[in-house]
Amino acid sequence: MTVCAIEPSAGHADGDGEGAAPPGCVLTADGAYAARLASAGGSWFPERWTLDGPEPYAVPLPRNQPEEPGTEVQPMGDGRVLIHRLVAGRHAFSLLYPTGPGTGELPLGAVECRDGAARLRLLPPAPGGERAYALAVGERCTSVWLVAGGAFGPERLAELPGRCSGGVWLDGAGRMLALDRETGGRTKAVVVDLECGGEVSPLLQIAADSDDRVLLADHDSGLLLVRSDAPSPGQDRLGWGVLGSTLPVRFPECLRLRDCAVTPFAIQPGQVLTPESCAVALRVDGPAGSWVGVWRPAERRLHHLPAPQGWLAGTGLWTADGVLRLPYASEAVPCGVAQVSPPPPAEAAGPAQAEGGAVPDPEPGAPGAERSGPLPDPGQAPSPPPPGRAPAPPAARPVPLAQAPLGRLVTN
């Protein structure tokens, strides 16, 4: 069992992150700020990027001594940068901010995981940018911690049996968190309600013997990107579904690339009730390097686009009008954002193509989907949003995607 205790606020000290790979660039949910661990002369230091102005610019945030290469940083909505350091076995958190020529630091406290096998990492930035969360993974259970934005320092919000990974926000309020939980040798995505004492419910369970993970979600449209071996046992495939919908989970053939790893990293926002038209940006890693892919569920193809030189691979965001912004850093441009306009969407598709246009046409007389595993009670419905919270798709408690069965015709 993971046992974590809150420690008094700790200042900077030597960590033990030697040999850890430096983290990449992290963007706030609204794309206004980014943060990364930059290097100069072999020394690592936090760097904040401001992206919502006329021109992007970077502000270095060095402290009195260099950071360890495995140190995590994350931008907050007010422009401060959260830093996570491993200090003598404790996970210390502070907020960094520029103070004229120097860097100010506000210690927030520390979390100590007494389970020697436990690992703690920051979760992706939460909507709103006021709070930050971390995941502590032990041998038998996982804890979700509020590490910034609380009233009294780090606070444990939830504890789940099993080992969890991933971390995807399902709503615009930072309440519903999707995690991939491994229990009994299988991995299934679950939802954790952080405002109801960490209540856990199933989200993605396509087949009883499949590993089903959530990779990305957009709360405007409800579009969900998943990875599962349900359609091809032993081989993970990318698929998509819609939160709160009974559409089948689809696994487009065009997202299968030989000798390449394909990872979604951004979904076009603002496409309310039209998940099929959302543009999805994907990082493609192959023998020739890394580049950008753009795909829409309603289309049958993946567009391949060159990445800008120095692209902080796997980092970017969409504007609501369909422009992809990719942060990059090079010797000539130490802080830049490339504006990429992918090919426009194809002409409006018919209903059959809109539901699964990225898959082969069905043969005459073939059914459109096949149930693959036990389904929840069909009468189950999402609970209404809490009083005072503006309703927005998806609902506060998404309908489990087990109610959206695997489509038989999309397996190959």
Side-chain angles (χ1 to χ4, degrees), residues 357-395:
V359 300
D361 292 329
E363 296 182 4
E370 175 181 324
R371 297 187 182 272
S372 54
L375 302 181
D377 180 1
Q380 180 181 355
S383 61
R389 191 182 303 278

mmCIF file of all heavy atoms in Angstrom, residues 357-395:
data_model
loop_
_atom_site.group_PDB
_atom_site.id
_atom_site.type_symbol
_atom_site.label_atom_id
_atom_site.label_comp_id
_atom_site.label_asym_id
_atom_site.label_seq_id
_atom_site.Cartn_x
_atom_site.Cartn_y
_atom_site.Cartn_z
ATOM 1 N N GLY A 357 -16.271 7.052 -40.720
ATOM 2 C CA GLY A 357 -15.746 7.302 -42.048
ATOM 3 C C GLY A 357 -14.302 6.923 -42.214
ATOM 4 O O GLY A 357 -13.816 6.864 -43.326
ATOM 5 N N ALA A 358 -13.595 6.655 -41.139
ATOM 6 C CA ALA A 358 -12.184 6.312 -41.254
ATOM 7 C C ALA A 358 -11.970 4.822 -41.389
ATOM 8 O O ALA A 358 -10.853 4.344 -41.341
ATOM 9 C CB ALA A 358 -11.423 6.824 -40.044
ATOM 10 N N VAL A 359 -13.049 4.073 -41.576
ATOM 11 C CA VAL A 359 -12.933 2.626 -41.665
ATOM 12 C C VAL A 359 -13.506 2.170 -42.998
ATOM 13 O O VAL A 359 -14.237 2.910 -43.667
ATOM 14 C CB VAL A 359 -13.696 1.945 -40.506
ATOM 15 C CG1 VAL A 359 -13.131 2.383 -39.177
ATOM 16 C CG2 VAL A 359 -15.173 2.251 -40.570
ATOM 17 N N PRO A 360 -13.202 0.948 -43.459
ATOM 18 C CA PRO A 360 -13.727 0.469 -44.729
ATOM 19 C C PRO A 360 -15.245 0.447 -44.751
ATOM 20 O O PRO A 360 -15.908 0.284 -43.729
ATOM 21 C CB PRO A 360 -13.147 -0.949 -44.832
ATOM 22 C CG PRO A 360 -11.956 -0.956 -43.929
ATOM 23 C CD PRO A 360 -12.302 -0.005 -42.815
ATOM 24 N N ASP A 361 -15.808 0.604 -45.946
ATOM 25 C CA ASP A 361 -17.259 0.552 -46.081
ATOM 26 C C ASP A 361 -17.753 -0.836 -45.697
ATOM 27 O O ASP A 361 -17.138 -1.855 -46.017
ATOM 28 C CB ASP A 361 -17.667 0.838 -47.527
ATOM 29 C CG ASP A 361 -17.378 2.273 -47.914
ATOM 30 O OD1 ASP A 361 -17.449 3.132 -47.016
ATOM 31 O OD2 ASP A 361 -17.077 2.526 -49.089
ATOM 32 N N PRO A 362 -18.890 -0.913 -45.001
ATOM 33 C CA PRO A 362 -19.433 -2.227 -44.635
ATOM 34 C C PRO A 362 -19.953 -2.966 -45.851
ATOM 35 O O PRO A 362 -20.393 -2.362 -46.830
ATOM 36 C CB PRO A 362 -20.569 -1.875 -43.666
ATOM 37 C CG PRO A 362 -20.969 -0.488 -44.032
ATOM 38 C CD PRO A 362 -19.702 0.197 -44.492
ATOM 39 N N GLU A 363 -19.881 -4.295 -45.780
ATOM 40 C CA GLU A 363 -20.442 -5.090 -46.858
ATOM 41 C C GLU A 363 -21.959 -5.088 -46.750
ATOM 42 O O GLU A 363 -22.527 -4.918 -45.678
ATOM 43 C CB GLU A 363 -19.913 -6.523 -46.755
ATOM 44 C CG GLU A 363 -18.404 -6.606 -46.944
ATOM 45 C CD GLU A 363 -17.922 -8.014 -46.878
ATOM 46 O OE1 GLU A 363 -18.790 -8.908 -46.756
ATOM 47 O OE2 GLU A 363 -16.704 -8.242 -46.962
ATOM 48 N N PRO A 364 -22.664 -5.267 -47.875
ATOM 49 C CA PRO A 364 -24.131 -5.234 -47.840
ATOM 50 C C PRO A 364 -24.680 -6.233 -46.832
ATOM 51 O O PRO A 364 -24.264 -7.385 -46.784
ATOM 52 C CB PRO A 364 -24.521 -5.607 -49.286
ATOM 53 C CG PRO A 364 -23.323 -5.242 -50.105
ATOM 54 C CD PRO A 364 -22.136 -5.491 -49.220
ATOM 55 N N GLY A 365 -25.587 -5.745 -46.041
ATOM 56 C CA GLY A 365 -26.269 -6.600 -45.085
ATOM 57 C C GLY A 365 -25.524 -6.841 -43.798
ATOM 58 O O GLY A 365 -26.055 -7.500 -42.912
ATOM 59 N N ALA A 366 -24.288 -6.314 -43.682
ATOM 60 C CA ALA A 366 -23.523 -6.559 -42.455
ATOM 61 C C ALA A 366 -23.969 -5.611 -41.368
ATOM 62 O O ALA A 366 -24.276 -4.459 -41.630
ATOM 63 C CB ALA A 366 -22.032 -6.379 -42.719
ATOM 64 N N PRO A 367 -24.014 -6.061 -40.117
ATOM 65 C CA PRO A 367 -24.389 -5.165 -39.021
ATOM 66 C C PRO A 367 -23.297 -4.148 -38.771
ATOM 67 O O PRO A 367 -22.141 -4.348 -39.117
ATOM 68 C CB PRO A 367 -24.557 -6.115 -37.837
ATOM 69 C CG PRO A 367 -23.682 -7.278 -38.170
ATOM 70 C CD PRO A 367 -23.738 -7.417 -39.665
ATOM 71 N N GLY A 368 -23.632 -3.042 -38.129
ATOM 72 C CA GLY A 368 -22.670 -1.968 -37.930
ATOM 73 C C GLY A 368 -21.817 -2.129 -36.701
ATOM 74 O O GLY A 368 -20.771 -1.534 -36.597
ATOM 75 N N ALA A 369 -22.220 -2.936 -35.733
ATOM 76 C CA ALA A 369 -21.430 -3.066 -34.515
ATOM 77 C C ALA A 369 -21.753 -4.390 -33.858
ATOM 78 O O ALA A 369 -22.816 -4.971 -34.072
ATOM 79 C CB ALA A 369 -21.724 -1.917 -33.558
ATOM 80 N N GLU A 370 -20.830 -4.833 -33.061
ATOM 81 C CA GLU A 370 -21.020 -6.094 -32.361
ATOM 82 C C GLU A 370 -20.668 -5.899 -30.895
ATOM 83 O O GLU A 370 -19.610 -5.371 -30.577
ATOM 84 C CB GLU A 370 -20.105 -7.159 -32.960
ATOM 85 C CG GLU A 370 -20.145 -8.487 -32.213
ATOM 86 C CD GLU A 370 -19.193 -9.480 -32.834
ATOM 87 O OE1 GLU A 370 -19.059 -9.473 -34.062
ATOM 88 O OE2 GLU A 370 -18.570 -10.246 -32.080
ATOM 89 N N ARG A 371 -21.535 -6.299 -30.014
ATOM 90 C CA ARG A 371 -21.253 -6.158 -28.592
ATOM 91 C C ARG A 371 -20.138 -7.116 -28.206
ATOM 92 O O ARG A 371 -20.099 -8.248 -28.657
ATOM 93 C CB ARG A 371 -22.505 -6.429 -27.763
ATOM 94 C CG ARG A 371 -23.606 -5.420 -28.039
ATOM 95 C CD ARG A 371 -24.777 -5.614 -27.083
ATOM 96 N NE ARG A 371 -25.835 -4.671 -27.398
ATOM 97 C CZ ARG A 371 -25.906 -3.444 -26.905
ATOM 98 N NH1 ARG A 371 -24.955 -3.027 -26.098
ATOM 99 N NH2 ARG A 371 -26.881 -2.635 -27.226
ATOM 100 N N SER A 372 -19.235 -6.643 -27.361
ATOM 101 C CA SER A 372 -18.058 -7.451 -27.041
ATOM 102 C C SER A 372 -17.763 -7.392 -25.558
ATOM 103 O O SER A 372 -16.768 -6.852 -25.139
ATOM 104 C CB SER A 372 -16.854 -6.945 -27.826
ATOM 105 O OG SER A 372 -16.676 -5.569 -27.589
ATOM 106 N N GLY A 373 -18.641 -7.964 -24.762
ATOM 107 C CA GLY A 373 -18.386 -7.974 -23.330
ATOM 108 C C GLY A 373 -19.601 -7.516 -22.564
ATOM 109 O O GLY A 373 -20.563 -6.995 -23.126
ATOM 110 N N PRO A 374 -19.583 -7.687 -21.260
ATOM 111 C CA PRO A 374 -20.725 -7.278 -20.446
ATOM 112 C C PRO A 374 -20.911 -5.782 -20.473
ATOM 113 O O PRO A 374 -19.947 -5.012 -20.476
ATOM 114 C CB PRO A 374 -20.333 -7.758 -19.046
ATOM 115 C CG PRO A 374 -18.839 -7.836 -19.082
ATOM 116 C CD PRO A 374 -18.490 -8.235 -20.473
ATOM 117 N N LEU A 375 -22.164 -5.347 -20.540
ATOM 118 C CA LEU A 375 -22.482 -3.934 -20.602
ATOM 119 C C LEU A 375 -23.126 -3.485 -19.302
ATOM 120 O O LEU A 375 -23.803 -4.264 -18.628
ATOM 121 C CB LEU A 375 -23.459 -3.650 -21.756
ATOM 122 C CG LEU A 375 -22.981 -4.056 -23.151
ATOM 123 C CD1 LEU A 375 -24.038 -3.696 -24.176
ATOM 124 C CD2 LEU A 375 -21.669 -3.384 -23.482
ATOM 125 N N PRO A 376 -22.941 -2.222 -18.916
ATOM 126 C CA PRO A 376 -23.609 -1.709 -17.728
ATOM 127 C C PRO A 376 -25.114 -1.666 -17.932
ATOM 128 O O PRO A 376 -25.620 -1.870 -19.036
ATOM 129 C CB PRO A 376 -23.027 -0.295 -17.585
ATOM 130 C CG PRO A 376 -21.793 -0.289 -18.414
ATOM 131 C CD PRO A 376 -22.051 -1.261 -19.520
ATOM 132 N N ASP A 377 -25.812 -1.390 -16.865
ATOM 133 C CA ASP A 377 -27.264 -1.253 -16.915
ATOM 134 C C ASP A 377 -27.635 -0.214 -17.956
ATOM 135 O O ASP A 377 -27.200 0.931 -17.881
ATOM 136 C CB ASP A 377 -27.769 -0.820 -15.540
ATOM 137 C CG ASP A 377 -29.273 -0.656 -15.514
ATOM 138 O OD1 ASP A 377 -29.934 -0.898 -16.553
ATOM 139 O OD2 ASP A 377 -29.797 -0.299 -14.449
ATOM 140 N N PRO A 378 -28.434 -0.573 -19.003
ATOM 141 C CA PRO A 378 -28.780 0.412 -20.021
ATOM 142 C C PRO A 378 -29.497 1.623 -19.466
ATOM 143 O O PRO A 378 -29.497 2.684 -20.087
ATOM 144 C CB PRO A 378 -29.680 -0.375 -20.976
ATOM 145 C CG PRO A 378 -29.357 -1.811 -20.717
ATOM 146 C CD PRO A 378 -28.988 -1.892 -19.275
ATOM 147 N N GLY A 379 -30.102 1.486 -18.309
ATOM 148 C CA GLY A 379 -30.799 2.637 -17.731
ATOM 149 C C GLY A 379 -29.895 3.607 -17.028
ATOM 150 O O GLY A 379 -30.349 4.664 -16.583
ATOM 151 N N GLN A 380 -28.613 3.263 -16.892
ATOM 152 C CA GLN A 380 -27.700 4.162 -16.198
ATOM 153 C C GLN A 380 -27.570 5.463 -16.972
ATOM 154 O O GLN A 380 -27.455 5.475 -18.184
ATOM 155 C CB GLN A 380 -26.324 3.520 -16.052
ATOM 156 C CG GLN A 380 -25.319 4.393 -15.338
ATOM 157 C CD GLN A 380 -23.966 3.713 -15.252
ATOM 158 O OE1 GLN A 380 -23.836 2.566 -15.639
ATOM 159 N NE2 GLN A 380 -22.982 4.431 -14.758
ATOM 160 N N ALA A 381 -27.592 6.561 -16.278
ATOM 161 C CA ALA A 381 -27.482 7.868 -16.923
ATOM 162 C C ALA A 381 -26.521 8.733 -16.146
ATOM 163 O O ALA A 381 -26.364 8.568 -14.935
ATOM 164 C CB ALA A 381 -28.859 8.561 -16.999
ATOM 165 N N PRO A 382 -25.872 9.674 -16.836
ATOM 166 C CA PRO A 382 -24.955 10.562 -16.119
ATOM 167 C C PRO A 382 -25.696 11.462 -15.166
ATOM 168 O O PRO A 382 -26.804 11.909 -15.450
ATOM 169 C CB PRO A 382 -24.281 11.362 -17.243
ATOM 170 C CG PRO A 382 -25.208 11.239 -18.411
ATOM 171 C CD PRO A 382 -25.919 9.942 -18.262
ATOM 172 N N SER A 383 -25.097 11.719 -13.999
ATOM 173 C CA SER A 383 -25.717 12.599 -13.030
ATOM 174 C C SER A 383 -25.613 14.041 -13.491
ATOM 175 O O SER A 383 -24.701 14.399 -14.219
ATOM 176 C CB SER A 383 -25.029 12.443 -11.673
ATOM 177 O OG SER A 383 -23.664 12.786 -11.787
ATOM 178 N N PRO A 384 -26.562 14.907 -13.101
ATOM 179 C CA PRO A 384 -26.502 16.304 -13.534
ATOM 180 C C PRO A 384 -25.326 17.015 -12.906
ATOM 181 O O PRO A 384 -24.815 16.597 -11.864
ATOM 182 C CB PRO A 384 -27.835 16.870 -13.022
ATOM 183 C CG PRO A 384 -28.203 15.987 -11.885
ATOM 184 C CD PRO A 384 -27.698 14.621 -12.233
ATOM 185 N N PRO A 385 -24.847 18.105 -13.544
ATOM 186 C CA PRO A 385 -23.737 18.854 -12.964
ATOM 187 C C PRO A 385 -24.140 19.471 -11.641
ATOM 188 O O PRO A 385 -25.318 19.725 -11.383
ATOM 189 C CB PRO A 385 -23.444 19.926 -14.019
ATOM 190 C CG PRO A 385 -24.706 20.038 -14.812
ATOM 191 C CD PRO A 385 -25.327 18.686 -14.793
ATOM 192 N N PRO A 386 -23.166 19.709 -10.729
ATOM 193 C CA PRO A 386 -23.476 20.282 -9.422
ATOM 194 C C PRO A 386 -24.104 21.660 -9.559
ATOM 195 O O PRO A 386 -23.900 22.354 -10.560
ATOM 196 C CB PRO A 386 -22.095 20.373 -8.743
ATOM 197 C CG PRO A 386 -21.199 19.491 -9.534
ATOM 198 C CD PRO A 386 -21.750 19.453 -10.910
ATOM 199 N N PRO A 387 -24.887 22.096 -8.546
ATOM 200 C CA PRO A 387 -25.492 23.431 -8.610
ATOM 201 C C PRO A 387 -24.427 24.509 -8.762
ATOM 202 O O PRO A 387 -23.370 24.451 -8.159
ATOM 203 C CB PRO A 387 -26.211 23.538 -7.254
ATOM 204 C CG PRO A 387 -26.409 22.128 -6.800
ATOM 205 C CD PRO A 387 -25.264 21.353 -7.345
ATOM 206 N N GLY A 388 -24.739 25.472 -9.593
ATOM 207 C CA GLY A 388 -23.829 26.588 -9.791
ATOM 208 C C GLY A 388 -22.763 26.331 -10.827
ATOM 209 O O GLY A 388 -21.996 27.224 -11.154
ATOM 210 N N ARG A 389 -22.659 25.113 -11.372
ATOM 211 C CA ARG A 389 -21.664 24.797 -12.380
ATOM 212 C C ARG A 389 -22.344 24.766 -13.741
ATOM 213 O O ARG A 389 -23.308 24.041 -13.946
ATOM 214 C CB ARG A 389 -21.006 23.453 -12.082
ATOM 215 C CG ARG A 389 -19.776 23.204 -12.939
ATOM 216 C CD ARG A 389 -19.202 21.834 -12.637
ATOM 217 N NE ARG A 389 -18.865 21.664 -11.229
ATOM 218 C CZ ARG A 389 -17.744 22.091 -10.707
ATOM 219 N NH1 ARG A 389 -16.849 22.713 -11.452
ATOM 220 N NH2 ARG A 389 -17.500 21.903 -9.418
ATOM 221 N N ALA A 390 -21.853 25.540 -14.665
ATOM 222 C CA ALA A 390 -22.477 25.618 -15.982
ATOM 223 C C ALA A 390 -22.421 24.255 -16.656
ATOM 224 O O ALA A 390 -21.365 23.620 -16.691
ATOM 225 C CB ALA A 390 -21.762 26.648 -16.846
ATOM 226 N N PRO A 391 -23.557 23.753 -17.195
ATOM 227 C CA PRO A 391 -23.520 22.458 -17.863
ATOM 228 C C PRO A 391 -22.684 22.526 -19.121
ATOM 229 O O PRO A 391 -22.721 23.493 -19.863
ATOM 230 C CB PRO A 391 -25.001 22.195 -18.188
ATOM 231 C CG PRO A 391 -25.633 23.553 -18.221
ATOM 232 C CD PRO A 391 -24.876 24.379 -17.227
ATOM 233 N N ALA A 392 -21.895 21.492 -19.361
ATOM 234 C CA ALA A 392 -21.059 21.427 -20.553
ATOM 235 C C ALA A 392 -20.808 19.969 -20.867
ATOM 236 O O ALA A 392 -20.653 19.150 -19.970
ATOM 237 C CB ALA A 392 -19.731 22.151 -20.331
ATOM 238 N N PRO A 393 -20.767 19.620 -22.158
ATOM 239 C CA PRO A 393 -20.475 18.238 -22.501
ATOM 240 C C PRO A 393 -19.015 17.940 -22.267
ATOM 241 O O PRO A 393 -18.178 18.776 -22.552
ATOM 242 C CB PRO A 393 -20.814 18.171 -23.998
ATOM 243 C CG PRO A 393 -20.687 19.585 -24.485
ATOM 244 C CD PRO A 393 -21.050 20.442 -23.316
ATOM 245 N N PRO A 394 -18.619 16.749 -21.757
ATOM 246 C CA PRO A 394 -19.526 15.722 -21.290
ATOM 247 C C PRO A 394 -20.090 16.037 -19.916
ATOM 248 O O PRO A 394 -19.573 16.893 -19.233
ATOM 249 C CB PRO A 394 -18.630 14.484 -21.227
ATOM 250 C CG PRO A 394 -17.296 15.063 -20.880
ATOM 251 C CD PRO A 394 -17.218 16.369 -21.636
ATOM 252 N N ALA A 395 -21.139 15.303 -19.528
ATOM 253 C CA ALA A 395 -21.754 15.523 -18.232
ATOM 254 C C ALA A 395 -20.773 15.170 -17.128
ATOM 255 O O ALA A 395 -19.737 14.556 -17.347
ATOM 256 C CB ALA A 395 -23.021 14.678 -18.106
#
